[in-house]
Amino acid sequence: MAQRTKAKAPKSFLKILMAYDPTLKKMRPKEIRVFNVNANYGTYQIKVGPEHSPLTCRQLKTKTHSRPIEVHGELHHIFIENGNNISAMPSHDAIDNNLKGTVIIKGLSIHLRDEQGNGYEIKDLPNAMHTVEARERINLAGENGERAVVSLEQTGRLAKETYRIIQSDIMNIVKTLQRAVKSNS
């Protein structure tokens, strides 16, 4: 009988950012840091806020010394396939089908706030329609595509998935930088 292994929990977004900018580890509790990241899928301005008080950490049900994170910036484009699959790049199947059934959203303006800094929660999801705004939509999915986009915006899933894409994009930059440092050593 095969033995199950427990899935490893993903790193917090703050730890990913600390790998990108090691000076974040030395921040004092009330200090705020703002920096820019030019990544593969977009450009982002990251604001790491002051540490939460122990009381606030208990209320947020997060680890002590957590910090809020804000992300402002622009994502070049995202693809929504089959009404619910959101990604920064289209799948091979979508490409083979000339992107039929896909909605391409271009020039996304991002304003996300993660109060816990863990990379999972976005503050103010009822107003999530205003956290990710697009300059252009190319709907190759017809009426179903339009309904899917509206639903994704209203439920906040578009904002959550966009945040996940940004985290992944920054993580890829961190890995690239770490490989470059190792190869130069």
Side-chain angles (χ1 to χ4, degrees):
M1 183 183 281
Q3 205 175 14
R4 287 188 180 184
T5 58
K6 188 175 181 181
K8 186 177 178 184
K11 286 185 177 181
S12 77
F13 189 38
L14 185 56
K15 288 189 181 188
I16 293 169
L17 294 175
M18 286 177 179
Y20 179 79
D21 182 357
T23 63
L24 293 174
K25 295 176 186 174
K26 298 175 182 163
M27 286 177 64
R28 291 185 294 263
K30 295 190 187 277
E31 195 172 354
I32 296 171
R33 187 79 41 90
V34 179
F35 59 96
N36 296 313
V37 178
N38 290 321
N40 294 323
Y41 301 132
T43 56
Y44 320 109
Q45 183 178 65
I46 311 290
K47 176 183 174 187
V48 179
E51 275 185 15
H52 291 301
S53 69
L55 175 63
T56 304
C57 287
R58 281 193 299 276
Q59 289 171 342
L60 292 172
K61 297 178 182 164
T62 188
K63 295 178 181 179
T64 56
H65 309 294
S66 66
R67 297 173 179 268
I69 298 172
E70 286 186 52
V71 179
H72 302 269
E74 187 170 296
L75 197 62
H76 304 306
H77 53 288
I78 60 172
F79 298 85
I80 302 172
E81 299 174 28
N82 302 323
N84 64 356
N85 295 332
I86 303 170
S87 64
M89 297 297 290
S91 68
H92 292 291
D93 289 340
I95 292 170
D96 290 344
N97 291 322
N98 296 319
L99 299 176
K100 288 181 183 171
T102 303
V103 178
I104 305 165
I105 301 179
K106 298 173 78 177
L108 287 97
S109 177
I110 310 296
H111 178 85
L112 302 169
R113 181 168 172 82
D114 177 354
E115 192 64 38
Q116 297 179 355
N118 61 11
Y120 309 116
E121 301 296 323
I122 299 173
K123 186 179 181 186
D124 204 21
L125 275 179
N127 294 317
M129 289 180 68
H130 304 293
T131 60
V132 177
E133 294 182 347
R135 274 193 230 118
E136 181 181 0
R137 288 185 190 165
I138 301 170
N139 185 355
L140 303 174
E143 193 176 309
N144 291 338
E146 187 59 35
R147 273 188 297 223
V149 170
V150 169
S151 174
L152 291 168
E153 286 176 332
Q154 289 176 343
T155 61
R157 184 158 174 249
L158 182 63
K160 286 181 181 179
E161 291 296 316
T162 300
Y163 190 34
R164 182 190 55 77
I165 290 168
I166 291 168
Q167 290 175 55
S168 175
D169 199 14
I170 293 172
M171 183 59 157
N172 288 335
I173 293 296
V174 167
K175 288 178 181 176
T176 302
L177 290 173
Q178 288 171 343
R179 272 184 256 149
V181 167
K182 284 181 183 179
S183 68
N184 289 334
S185 298

